[in-house]
Amino acid sequence: MQLKARAQRLDKYIYPLILFTVAIIPLHQEVAATAVLLTFLGALLARWGGSPQQPRILKKWQQGVLYLLLLLAWVSLHFSQNQFISSCNFVYVVGQYTAMVYLLLHYGWQKPRPFTKRVPGGNWRHQLQNLPRPIQILGVFLLMSLVVSSVGLAQKFLGVTAEGIWVDPQQFPDLKVRVFSTLVNPNILAGYLVLVIAYATAWGTTLREKYVRIGCGLAGVLATWCLLYTYSRGNWLACVALLLAFCLFYSWKALLPVILAGGVGLAVGGAAVWQRLGSILNGQDTSIALRMAYFRSTKWIIEAFPWGVGWYGYRFVYPTYNYYLADESVIMYHCHNIFLNVWAELGIQGLLAFLLVWGMFIYNAVQLSKTSKNPWLLAMGRGYVLASIGIAVGGLTDHVYFNTQMGLLFWTLGILTMLCKKLSTFEA
């Protein structure tokens, strides 16, 4: 009994650990994995000790959709040409995603409070503490983006060079450095920054609190500036798409500032930016040619394996269908298109399940962005809608969500949207 009582006392530490985990996700992959594991184990111990039962957040059919996707991913291991490695990766990666979803559904929720009203006599810190947990978690995400963006900009301006890495000096003579900050490569960093820009735009333009608008403005500017120096053309387009969507759906008045900001970006970026943009049209870009080769090979793989090649199985099948890369020692983990990659690995049934889950998140975000009376919930809905546009457009030419850090953020933002939709049912 004493052991159970000690386990139950762990309950009060789980939520702070979740905040720490969200903060560490973009900073270090292995530390984030460790944080997810320890927090999840602590939650299980607290539950065993008799921690209070949380209310159901998702409807039964919504839970069923998540379980269906998980089941199809697990069944797909049977089709992998290396079931051992695929299974190990499944446990490591999907285990983290599942644990994070569990933690958010059980500890990202709290008894609804009148957070639409200010705390009498409270300062901004008290106001933040009075916000529901999903809002606080997203706030940590935006706060840590200041660190990630600053590190990326430091790589550009303080002499931390990476010449020759992700750079083709013959085709782009003015491009010396592509920043990657705390993430694995420039494209993954760019995908992360697109998420930051989406939420910073939504929060900064929807909320009226001065400290929030200043913070979101700073996060958005730094993220956009850092995105410029990733030279990730697909994510540049994703950023443009989400900003134009913001103007179309939420504020036509923002169109001129967005156009002016784009002009400033082109001016600041200089010749290297123009070279990257021009390479899209000249037909001589090896990166674009390589992606087209991936897509063609993936088409053949899908035709040959209609049930999929299994979770993490793309790398084992690709060499057979590789007609472009001369160096067969290069491991190709994904096909640089999020939709084709899911289709190739999990089959059409897995792709449909994935789109159903993602569509569930988007639908609830749209409902929040249209019907919520609370500005915080309105901002959360708008943020996820814009982020999804960025993910979809960027995902056409790259699949940064094969990276575990980005995958954790995908599931975190989706579940936070569902938590906010549940909160909206308690609005006055």
Side-chain angles (χ1 to χ4, degrees):
M1 294 297 293
Q2 187 177 10
L3 186 60
K4 277 198 170 187
R6 290 180 178 177
Q8 185 177 358
R9 285 198 290 270
L10 286 173
D11 193 67
K12 64 180 180 180
Y13 299 107
I14 303 302
Y15 177 64
L17 285 173
I18 291 175
L19 293 178
F20 171 78
T21 300
V22 172
I24 214 70
I25 285 174
L27 300 184
H28 198 283
Q29 183 168 300
E30 287 74 22
V31 175
T34 303
V36 171
L37 175 61
L38 294 178
T39 307
F40 180 64
L41 291 177
L44 291 181
L45 282 173
R47 186 75 190 92
W48 172 74
S51 63
Q53 182 69 34
Q54 295 292 329
R56 184 189 299 273
I57 304 300
L58 302 180
K59 299 176 182 178
K60 288 186 177 181
W61 74 266
Q62 294 171 333
Q63 289 182 323
V65 170
L66 290 174
Y67 283 129
L68 175 62
L69 180 58
L70 180 62
L71 175 64
L72 290 175
W74 176 73
V75 170
S76 76
L77 295 173
H78 173 74
F79 303 111
S80 174
Q81 294 190 4
N82 191 321
Q83 294 185 18
F84 176 75
I85 293 181
S86 288
S87 297
C88 289
N89 184 269
F90 180 86
V91 171
Y92 176 73
V93 175
V94 180
Q96 289 185 60
Y97 299 165
T98 305
M100 197 67 187
V101 169
Y102 174 89
L103 289 169
L104 291 171
L105 288 176
H106 287 77
Y107 290 90
W109 175 261
Q110 63 191 128
K111 185 177 180 180
R113 295 182 290 182
F115 65 98
T116 56
K117 300 178 181 179
R118 292 183 174 275
V119 178
N123 57 27
W124 66 270
R125 292 185 181 86
H126 293 119
Q127 304 299 338
L128 288 177
Q129 292 171 358
N130 195 50
L131 292 172
R133 288 182 175 183
I135 311 296
Q136 294 179 18
I137 293 171
L138 202 282
V140 170
F141 164 76
L142 288 176
L143 183 63
M144 292 311 299
S145 75
L146 299 175
V147 177
V148 177
S149 298
S150 297
V151 171
L153 291 172
Q155 290 176 335
K156 175 67 179 179
F157 295 111
L158 298 182
V160 181
T161 61
E163 190 169 351
I165 300 178
W166 306 295
V167 173
D168 184 350
Q170 293 183 347
Q171 187 171 6
F172 305 107
D174 293 303
L175 178 53
K176 303 301 181 183
V177 176
R178 294 183 63 190
V179 302
F180 55 93
S181 188
T182 58
L183 289 138
V184 179
N185 66 48
N187 290 329
I188 294 175
L189 171 62
Y192 167 81
L193 295 172
V194 165
L195 299 180
V196 174
I197 293 168
Y199 276 96
T201 300
W203 275 36
T205 57
T206 305
L207 301 170
R208 292 292 174 262
E209 284 77 2
K210 184 177 180 181
Y211 61 87
V212 174
R213 303 189 77 169
I214 293 174
C216 289
L218 180 60
V221 168
L222 289 180
T224 305
W225 195 8
C226 189
L227 176 64
L228 180 69
Y229 294 126
T230 65
Y231 297 98
S232 176
R233 291 162 295 183
N235 285 293
W236 284 351
L237 293 176
C239 181
V240 170
L242 76 86
L243 290 176
L244 290 179
F246 171 77
C247 297
L248 177 63
F249 297 149
Y250 306 123
S251 177
W252 274 106
K253 296 179 181 179
L255 182 58
L256 181 59
V258 167
I259 294 174
L260 292 176
V264 171
L266 291 174
V268 171
V273 170
W274 288 107
Q275 288 172 3
R276 292 289 283 179
L277 292 175
S279 67
I280 299 175
L281 303 176
N282 63 24
Q284 300 178 354
D285 190 321
T286 55
S287 177
I288 294 177
L290 187 60
R291 277 166 169 74
M292 296 307 298
Y294 294 154
F295 298 163
R296 188 173 291 112
S297 297
T298 304
K299 175 179 176 291
W300 296 336
I301 291 172
I302 290 172
E303 292 172 347
F305 299 90
W307 295 103
V309 297
W311 174 270
Y312 199 62
Y314 187 88
R315 58 173 292 189
F316 305 115
V317 175
Y318 178 77
T320 304
Y321 297 86
N322 173 23
Y323 71 94
Y324 188 86
L325 284 176
D327 188 357
E328 296 183 358
S329 65
V330 176
I331 298 176
M332 186 50 54
Y333 294 97
H334 59 90
C335 74
H336 287 77
N337 180 294
I338 187 173
F339 306 103
L340 288 178
N341 203 85
V342 174
W343 191 351
E345 293 196 338
L346 304 187
I348 187 63
Q349 68 282 358
L351 175 63
L352 292 175
F354 170 72
L355 292 177
L356 186 58
V357 170
W358 193 8
M360 176 181 72
F361 294 156
I362 294 173
Y363 174 78
N364 283 275
V366 170
Q367 292 299 107
L368 278 174
S369 69
K370 291 171 59 177
T371 63
S372 180
K373 299 176 183 178
N374 184 279
W376 291 96
L377 299 182
L378 194 70
M380 289 292 285
R382 290 181 176 183
Y384 192 81
V385 170
L386 298 178
S388 292
I389 292 171
I391 293 171
V393 174
L396 294 175
T397 57
D398 210 348
H399 178 27
V400 299
Y401 289 86
F402 85 95
N403 174 267
T404 309
Q405 293 160 282
M406 293 300 295
L408 281 170
L409 289 176
F410 176 87
W411 290 106
T412 296
L413 296 177
I415 297 300
L416 290 181
T417 301
M418 302 304 292
L419 289 166
C420 287
K421 187 61 173 67
K422 180 73 172 180
L423 275 172
S424 70
T425 62
F426 292 90
E427 289 185 287

